[in-house]
Every structure is written in structure tokens, then in C-alpha cells.
Amino acid sequence: MADPGTDPAGIPLSQLRHAEEAMGTVFSFDIRGGEPTAVKAALEEAVAGLHTVDEVFSTYREDSQISRLDRGEVTIEECDPEVAEVLELCAEAERLSEGWFSATYEGRFDPTGLVKGWATERAALRLVEAGAVGVSVNGGGDVQLCGVPGPDRPWRVGVADPLRPGGLAAVVTAAGADRLAVATSGTAERGAHIVDPRTGKSAVTDLVSVTAVGPHLTWADCWATAAFAMGSREGLAWLESLPDTEALLITAGDEVRCTGGLASRLG
Amino acid sequence: MLTGSAVQTDYGPVQVRITVNGGKITQAEALQQPSGGRSTQISGTAIPQLNQNAVAAGSADIDAVSGATYTSGGYKESLQSALDQAGG
């Protein structure tokens, strides 16, 4: 049987859409192709997975594993294996961002800034494993794309213009990439506590938004948050130094700055 | 055609209706907008801009929107919500 994503007859792929409220936001799924029963079952698993992540990692819930771990009531070994995984990812993100991404807030362990992107990427990969040809999962404004939406076009993501509500600052295309993530941090950001590691106080930034583009949403989301805190000059230079990462930065003065390779992703 | 719920703003209620054709937003118009005093001046420029930009978003043929994280409530007013409803 021909791969439906590259069907020369150009037959559109089947489509399954779903919006799920979790983690204080909404996750939008757009799934193309695959065997319908398998894809539907995987969507149910992915959605259940988001709620499990919320229960395990919520810093708002006194009985979550993260809250109990923070109070010393349980050890990492007694938690779900995902807790150790997220702790390691947070440590890596802190190291690579020289502390600009931080999972410590007011003395407490708070992985909120990493968990949503990680959970969104994981949900998308679950659907790919189940045989979907194209997957787009938008976790409250941070998007993981896999495969293609149809035989004749790539996934396309609008980047919201923070200074013109309802408008777009750019359109990013996933053409040629099997995995692409688009993550945006901005002044309206929820859940990310943006702190200057040199002062320990709220970061002073000249930016209103940073959009990071790369293969993995887990990292793109962390890098957008870190660069936002750094400000336009240091943030842009740091983003340029990261492999497989492009970015679009918008300043409060409505100036748009991009990494050198972003142009190949715009369209 | 999709009509959003009216949202209370500091300047009065705002309600927007979008027209979707073949999965794209082809028109956006304000059904309710504040009037009187300074709010008329503000909405006078803001609403046509929203219209123009929403149409630009429609013609951009996008599948998803990336932006600063919205709340569950904010989602209802988002372009992503319009895309989800349009199903295209």
C-alpha cells in the first residue's frame, strides 16, 4: 500500500481533531492519516497522559508527587519514573542556559516551565507511534509538529503578534522537517517564573516575545523562556549559538530580530 | 460563520464574528464594540486592524498558532480556537 502522505493521486488524509483542557490551558490535537481505530485509541491515551502529568507535576496540588517530593515525604525512587526524567531534563536546561532557565522558584522545585512542552511533545510522539502520518499538538501556544498534514503541503504555524492581538508576526513552515516545534514565551506567559539568575529577582527584559523553532518542543520551549529573560541582545546571540535552533524575537519597541537561519523556515 | 461570545473589556463589550470558507478565515467583523469618548477612538483603529490581521491569518493557510500561553478562558478568544472550530 502506498504511503498516504505521499500518495501521487493527492488523496487527502483522514483527519481527527480534539481540544482538551488540562494544566490550566487547552491542548489542540490535529491528527492526519493512520488506521482510525489505532489513532483514536492513541489520542485517548495521549489525553489521559496529559491529565496524569498534571496530577504528578502540579505545584498547585498539595498531594501531587512533585509537592510531596518537595516536602521530603517521598523519594525520587518512590515517584513515577517520569519525575526522575523531568528532573534530569530541568538540570540539563539549567546547565545549557547558564541558569536563565530555572526549575527553582522561591526556594521550591518547580518544573512548570519545562513540563508542558515536554508533555506536548510526548503526546505528539504517542500518535506517531500509533501510525499517524501527520500530527500537530498545540499545548496552549507551544506546538509540536510531526510528519505532514497531507500529500501536497507541509504543516504551517502562525506566530502570534504580541503587539497586535489577533494578528500574526510570521508564519513558520515545517517543509522538509519530519519533526518541528514552535514555542513562544511572552509577557502574557503563565506558569514560567522568569528570574535573572545573576540577581535572583524578576528578569528585566526589553522583549515582548521570543519564538524558538527546533525539532523538540521540550527544548524549544525552555530556550524561548531563557532567551526571553536574557533580553534581545544576549538572547539573540545565545540562540544563534544553539544547534538546530532558530528564533524570532520581538521587542517592546516593535523591532523584530531573527537568527540567521530563520528565513529558511518562514513561508 | 462563527460568532464568538461577547467579552467584557475595560471599554465595554466586544463581540467578533468570523466567516470561514474552506477551512480559512475569509472575514472577521465586530458585532459589538465600545462607543463613546476615548474608547471609540481606540476601537476605531483596533477593530479594523483585528479584521485585517485575521483575514491575513486566514489567507496564510495555517494549521496552528504559537503564542504566549493562554489560559483555558483565553483560549476561547484565540485564533487557535477559531482554527479548531473551523476544522480545516
Side-chain angles (χ1 to χ4, degrees):
Chain A
M1 202 175 98
D3 176 1
T6 54
D7 189 332
I11 298 165
L13 297 170
S14 60
Q15 182 175 27
L16 179 60
R17 278 177 175 269
H18 181 73
E20 183 76 15
E21 198 171 332
M23 300 182 209
T25 186
V26 174
F27 290 75
S28 301
F29 290 82
D30 184 348
I31 310 155
R32 312 289 175 101
E35 196 280 306
T37 313
V39 168
K40 194 160 177 294
L43 173 61
E44 281 169 18
E45 277 176 41
V47 164
L50 293 176
H51 292 294
T52 304
V53 166
D54 202 0
E55 280 165 30
V56 170
F57 290 96
S58 175
T59 54
Y60 298 100
R61 299 180 189 211
E62 286 294 308
D63 62 341
S64 71
Q65 290 184 27
I66 277 298
S67 295
R68 298 183 66 208
L69 183 67
D70 199 54
R71 293 195 299 268
E73 294 169 11
V74 289
T75 64
I76 289 177
E77 291 73 24
E78 288 168 327
C79 294
D80 288 358
E82 286 82 2
V83 173
E85 184 186 341
V86 163
L87 255 69
E88 277 174 35
L89 292 169
C90 285
E92 184 77 349
E94 285 197 33
R95 188 179 66 77
L96 292 170
S97 69
E98 292 157 15
W100 286 95
F101 176 90
S102 174
T104 305
Y105 182 67
E106 292 181 344
R108 291 187 60 180
F109 179 64
D110 184 349
T112 314
L114 182 135
V115 163
K116 188 166 60 67
W118 169 78
T120 305
E121 180 177 349
R122 205 166 72 135
L125 295 183
R126 179 72 202 84
L127 289 154
V128 171
E129 283 163 20
V133 174
V135 178
S136 165
V137 184
N138 190 347
D142 300 316
V143 187
Q144 177 72 55
L145 308 163
C146 304
V148 290
D152 51 7
R153 63 182 288 272
W155 288 113
R156 293 163 57 81
V157 178
V159 175
D161 186 337
L163 300 174
R164 292 167 197 81
L168 300 178
V171 175
V172 172
T173 166
D178 186 48
R179 302 278 156 86
L180 196 75
V182 185
T184 302
S185 280
T187 41
E189 181 90 4
R190 290 177 57 261
H193 309 295
I194 296 180
V195 173
D196 185 334
R198 298 169 304 193
T199 62
K201 294 178 180 167
S202 286
V204 178
T205 182
D206 59 335
L207 293 164
V208 287
S209 93
V210 175
T211 300
V213 180
H216 299 286
L217 187 55
T218 304
W219 299 124
D221 195 10
C222 292
W223 304 159
T225 306
F228 183 81
M230 289 177 191
S232 61
R233 203 157 154 251
E234 191 175 346
L236 182 61
W238 177 68
L239 288 161
E240 282 283 16
S241 76
L242 296 174
D244 300 327
T245 306
E246 301 302 337
L248 177 90
L249 299 82
I250 301 175
T251 71
D254 205 9
E255 285 177 71
V256 178
R257 297 182 188 172
C258 306
T259 54
L262 184 75
S264 65
R265 285 262 154 254
L266 297 179
Chain B
M1 195 137 42
L2 300 161
T3 304
S5 46
V7 184
Q8 285 300 326
T9 73
D10 290 346
Y11 304 102
V14 174
Q15 188 175 26
V16 178
R17 179 168 66 197
I18 63 168
T19 307
V20 180
N21 230 322
K24 295 178 187 178
I25 301 167
T26 53
Q27 194 189 354
E29 59 184 313
L31 299 181
Q32 289 188 55
Q33 56 179 295
S35 62
R38 182 160 155 71
S39 44
T40 301
Q41 293 169 22
I42 291 168
S43 64
T45 53
I47 301 257
Q49 182 139 55
L50 177 72
N51 186 329
Q52 185 190 23
N53 285 320
V55 171
S59 62
D61 192 16
I62 53 172
D63 304 292
V65 179
S66 177
T69 310
Y70 35 76
T71 60
S72 306
Y75 165 78
K76 296 186 184 80
E77 323 302 331
S78 70
L79 271 179
Q80 181 63 49
S81 167
L83 288 170
D84 289 348
Q85 289 181 56

